[in-house]
Amino acid sequence: MTVLTVAQATVRFLANQWTERDGVRQRLFAGCFGIFGHGNVAGLGQALLEAGDALPYHLPRNEQAMVHTAVGYARMRNRLSTFACTTSIGPGATNMVTGAALATINRVPVLLLPADTFATRVASPVLQELELPGSLDVSVNDCFRPVSVFFDRISRPEQLASSLLAATRVLTDPAATGAVTLAMPQDVQAEAHDFPEELFAERVWKVRRPAPAAEDLAEAVELIRTARRPLLVSGGGTIYSEATGALRALAEATGIPVAETQAGKGSLPFDHPAAVGAIGATGTTAANALAREADVVIGVGTRWSDFTTASRTAFQHPGVRFVNLNVAPVDAYKHAGVPLVADARAGLLALADGLRGWSVEGDYAALAVRLAQEWERTVTRAHTLGHGPLPAQSEIIGVVQELSEPADVVVCAAGSMPGDLHKLWRTRDPKGYHVEYGYSCMGYEIAGGLGVKMADPSREVTVMVGDGSYLMMAQEIATAVQEGVKLTIVLVQNHGFQSIGALSESLGSQRFGTRYRYRGADALLPVDLAANAASLGAQVLRASTVEEFRKALAQARAAEVTTVVHVETDPSVPAPDSESWWDVPVAQVSELESTRRARVAYEEGRRAQRPLL
């Protein structure tokens, strides 16, 4: 037996957890992020100090941001390694709730250790404690319950062992993973207990590759063999499973064209003959044209979000059927599909074996190639518009693309940029595209990019962020500088919430509440985001033309320190149309003519929706 505080025992346990897949081991917890206050400084703070390099500590600037950094790291490591995050009680804890929701929605593991109020209630109410007249066992940490895949409160030291083991089981289960929250009362953290020594032995959590059930596989193979116009939609599960090679082999053997979700972008190189690009509301005309006619749709590692299905208008064949290969049953059974509950790589290999000798008709494969080539010409035009006096956003993307290397990573999350990148970015590496679009969380970009770079320092990481997202959460620039982590940050200044502004206009709401302007005037605010970035320790370069941006970006890439390239763009230039739709309801009655016109268009779009039950 070993006498330790609950916090010391927690840290020692975390330092000895490993994952293993395909014989490759890595630490489950690369370290711990933490912002200390009275709730955790003498508990987990003291334990991390004592542990030293056994569980490295990193100082972030914002509690939400540190969860984003952990998510970026875990996603880059294919969900096999992550970080723990600790906060004090009260606002420090609740600041993490948004990060928890992001992790769970994106199915990415992260361990959250918010401090909690006294379990003994000896001094209640303590600073930052929530008091509810109807209950004494609720704290603000209960906010984590609906956004966590596992939640527990450690009210006694004897509970710690079972809770840690259960939490780690969930974190390492690809079918169930997400945010795991262990709320730790501040008095319990510091309480000593005699723990069994075996709790701290090295544990290896094997991440296995379950194969599909034979009867489900047979049904799926039979259905695909009857298809005349099949389409495969690859999601994030393909990349997390390291199944891109198996996907490529299946596509080459069968000729089935492959479209990609946001999380699945990079499943095939953009110029592969079977690649037809992004699908759905932010997709390519090639993928969406094939989706409209597809009679069998094979989803691999996708959760079928509304952007992927264009709010259930993408698939218009009257008899369309789905085959869903996913390690999570909740996704495998969607759209009344034939479920293949399995690891993506194991399932793709099984499908390839079952489809041996079968392929699509030559004219269909040729159609897919022709549509993809047409879209590539559209991309080239968008990258080289020659718009002035300010460049279009698509031209900025084009320059970043031009100067990037195949293994570089582009990071983004919210605003108009993710949609433009989904359509226009030419991925060449499975890990070259990192856009958080499950939660589309403004402020993820810089913090997430920091996690990406920490996960693989050998790659050049370019964060693309608009002024709206930058103003939400830019402070992790200081963390990158502190840690010596080099990021290239492209800061696009277009003076407002331009993505939601364009949506607002299309819905008849006239860009209300989206412009960064003086009240009652149209003059721009004197906000200098470049100066702000410099104040956080970054090297800053300014550009106002495409050529100036090209030179500045080249300089930033060559730099050894975090560098921000600030460029103004013209938000009035849209990216090429996806020929798709997204369901955002319009007011059914209104005194505004603009809203009434938008409602007519909305009703027209709804007519194409299908239940896909």
Side-chain angles (χ1 to χ4, degrees), residues 180-197:
V180 166
T181 301
L182 300 183
M184 293 196 157
Q186 61 184 100
D187 53 344
V188 176
Q189 286 184 49
E191 187 174 346
H193 181 71
D194 205 1
F195 291 97
E197 187 63 36

Side-chain angles (χ1 to χ4, degrees), residues 130-193:
L130 172 72
E131 288 187 278
L132 294 179
S135 176
L136 296 180
D137 69 347
V138 174
S139 80
V140 296
N141 285 343
D142 287 272
C143 294
F144 286 98
R145 290 183 185 272
V147 294
S148 301
V149 292
F150 180 88
F151 178 94
D152 196 14
R153 181 176 280 114
I154 312 301
S155 299
R156 293 288 307 151
E158 293 88 347
Q159 298 170 344
L160 183 67
S162 60
S163 187
L164 286 173
L165 290 168
T168 312
R169 171 187 57 77
V170 174
L171 285 168
T172 55
D173 181 353
T177 197
V180 166
T181 301
L182 300 183
M184 293 196 157
Q186 61 184 100
D187 53 344
V188 176
Q189 286 184 49
E191 187 174 346
H193 181 71

Side-chain angles (χ1 to χ4, degrees), residues 14 16 72 89 157 312 342 355 421 445 462 466 516 526 577:
L14 298 181
N16 285 303
I89 67 174
R312 300 194 178 186
L355 294 170
L421 287 167
E445 295 90 341
T462 300
Y516 290 174
D577 187 20

Side-chain angles (χ1 to χ4, degrees), residues 333-348:
Y333 281 87
K334 287 176 178 175
H335 298 167
V338 176
L340 296 179
V341 182
D343 167 76
R345 193 169 83 183
L348 285 167

Side-chain angles (χ1 to χ4, degrees), residues 305-610:
S305 74
D306 64 337
F307 262 68
T308 299
T309 68
S311 298
R312 300 194 178 186
T313 65
F315 308 106
Q316 287 297 310
H317 189 285
V320 64
R321 294 285 308 279
F322 289 80
V323 173
N324 298 321
L325 168 56
N326 205 296
V327 72
V330 66
D331 297 315
Y333 281 87
K334 287 176 178 175
H335 298 167
V338 176
L340 296 179
V341 182
D343 167 76
R345 193 169 83 183
L348 285 167
L349 292 173
L351 281 174
D353 188 56
L355 294 170
R356 196 179 307 277
W358 176 89
S359 64
V360 302
E361 295 177 1
D363 60 346
Y364 179 60
L367 171 64
V369 170
R370 185 173 73 252
L371 290 172
Q373 290 173 343
E374 289 174 359
W375 180 257
E376 281 305 306
R377 290 191 287 272
T378 299
V379 172
T380 298
R381 287 193 297 272
H383 283 178
T384 57
L385 280 178
H387 183 75
L390 294 177
Q393 184 165 274
S394 64
E395 294 178 277
I396 299 304
I397 292 172
V399 173
V400 178
Q401 180 87 76
E402 172 192 333
L403 297 185
S404 69
E405 298 294 332
D408 291 356
V409 187
V410 63
V411 180
C412 194
S416 60
M417 196 90 71
D420 291 0
L421 287 167
H422 196 206
K423 300 174 186 178
L424 302 178
W425 189 258
R426 290 165 167 157
T427 46
R428 294 161 286 175
D429 181 278
K431 285 295 179 183
Y433 184 86
H434 185 112
V435 171
E436 189 286 299
Y437 217 58
Y439 209 37
S440 187
C441 184
M442 297 178 73
Y444 174 88
E445 295 90 341
I446 294 171
L450 174 61
V452 170
K453 185 70 173 182
M454 292 176 72
D456 192 345
S458 70
R459 294 179 185 252
E460 179 73 16
V461 177
T462 300
V463 174
M464 301 194 72
V465 59
D467 54 317
S469 272
Y470 180 90
L471 283 167
M472 292 282 183
M473 194 168 294
Q475 59 267 54
E476 298 314 303
I477 288 176
T479 304
V481 172
Q482 167 188 284
E483 296 285 341
V485 176
K486 186 271 172 107
L487 299 174
T488 297
I489 301 171
V490 175
L491 173 52
V492 175
Q493 170 64 278
N494 53 32
H495 303 286
F497 296 135
Q498 296 300 341
S499 172
I500 204 67
L503 177 64
S504 170
E505 190 168 53
S506 72
L507 302 177
S509 296
Q510 304 173 14
R511 294 182 178 262
F512 177 73
T514 63
R515 296 183 177 93
Y516 290 174
R517 303 290 189 272
Y518 287 102
R519 177 172 292 278
D522 199 38
L524 299 178
L525 299 177
V527 174
D528 191 341
L529 299 184
N532 174 264
S535 76
L536 293 171
Q539 173 179 269
V540 176
L541 306 170
R542 298 176 187 259
S544 57
T545 68
V546 170
E547 191 51 42
E548 287 177 1
F549 177 70
R550 182 178 285 107
K551 291 177 181 178
L553 183 61
Q555 184 179 339
R557 289 175 56 83
E560 296 183 354
V561 297
T562 290
T563 302
V564 174
V565 182
H566 178 281
V567 58
E568 293 209 24
T569 62
D570 184 346
S572 68
V573 186
D577 187 20
S578 290
E579 298 180 3
S580 191
W581 186 71
W582 184 37
D583 189 347
V584 180
V586 179
Q588 198 165 5
V589 296
S590 174
E591 295 180 1
L592 300 175
E593 176 60 26
S594 59
T595 304
R596 292 197 296 269
R597 287 196 305 269
R599 180 68 191 193
V600 171
Y602 175 69
E603 294 290 355
E604 179 66 25
R606 285 183 64 188
R607 279 195 273 273
Q609 275 187 312
R610 306 185 60 189

Side-chain angles (χ1 to χ4, degrees), residues 198-280:
E198 55 263 38
L199 177 63
F200 310 115
E202 181 179 288
R203 275 185 175 78
V204 180
W205 300 81
K206 290 184 171 60
V207 181
R208 297 175 176 83
R209 296 188 179 276
E215 58 270 32
D216 295 334
L217 178 63
E219 184 180 357
V221 167
E222 181 180 2
L223 178 59
I224 296 169
R225 283 181 174 271
T226 67
R228 293 180 59 82
R229 288 179 169 252
L231 177 67
L232 193 148
V233 177
S234 180
T238 304
I239 295 174
Y240 294 143
S241 179
E242 299 174 12
T244 56
L247 173 64
R248 182 172 187 157
L250 176 66
E252 291 174 353
T254 63
I256 299 175
V258 176
E260 298 169 325
T261 70
Q262 278 279 13
K265 192 169 171 69
S267 296
L268 286 182
F270 80 97
D271 55 355
H272 189 278
V276 295
I279 192 170

